[in-house]
């Protein structure tokens, strides 16, 4: 998934571009029994908060852990407006 690869690189989990190598790197970090959940968390974080072109860093729940925390919108109010809410 493109979100997983992008977030894995942005969050410093890997530098790999090849999807198979990204998966290999993540499998070394996430226990097998949590692989499906870890994958879904990265996908949804990428879709809702850590967008490709304009991440909402100022409203990110994992901001303090992210080495790329300064690449996106820093103002908490403006960043919160960028967060995509779940439908339904």
């Amino acid at each position: 998934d493109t979100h997983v690869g992008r977030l894995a690189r942005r969050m410093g989990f890997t530098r790999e571009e090849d999807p198979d190598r990204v998966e290999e790197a993540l499998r070394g970090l996430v226990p097998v029994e949590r692989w499906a959940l870890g994958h879904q968390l990265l996908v949804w974080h990428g879709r809702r908060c850590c967008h490709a072109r304009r991440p909402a860093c100022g409203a990110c729940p994992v901001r303090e852990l992210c080495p790329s925390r300064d690449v996106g919108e820093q103002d908490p109010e403006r960043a919160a407006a960028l967060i995509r809410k779940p439908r339904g």
Side-chain angles (χ1 to χ4, degrees):
D1 186 273
T2 58
H3 295 296
V4 173
R6 179 173 47 78
L7 263 66
R9 286 184 293 280
R10 188 174 278 171
M11 296 180 84
F13 298 146
T14 185
R15 291 184 176 174
E16 298 292 344
E17 294 286 334
D18 177 68
D20 292 329
R21 291 186 182 227
V22 170
E23 181 180 344
E24 185 180 319
L26 291 176
R27 285 193 183 270
L29 297 172
V30 179
V32 173
E33 63 273 9
R34 297 218 170 151
W35 175 244
L37 176 62
H39 178 268
Q40 286 300 307
L41 288 171
L42 286 173
V43 168
W44 287 109
H45 187 64
R47 287 181 182 171
R48 293 188 177 151
C49 183
C50 195
H51 313 127
R53 294 184 183 184
R54 192 170 177 203
C57 296
C60 179
V62 294
R63 184 180 195 283
E64 295 305 315
L65 303 173
C66 182
S68 301
R69 64 182 160 257
D70 298 325
V71 301
E73 178 58 57
Q74 300 301 310
D75 179 80
E77 266 186 50
R78 290 173 59 182
L82 296 174
I83 300 290
R84 295 188 183 127
K85 307 293 187 248
R87 295 180 190 175

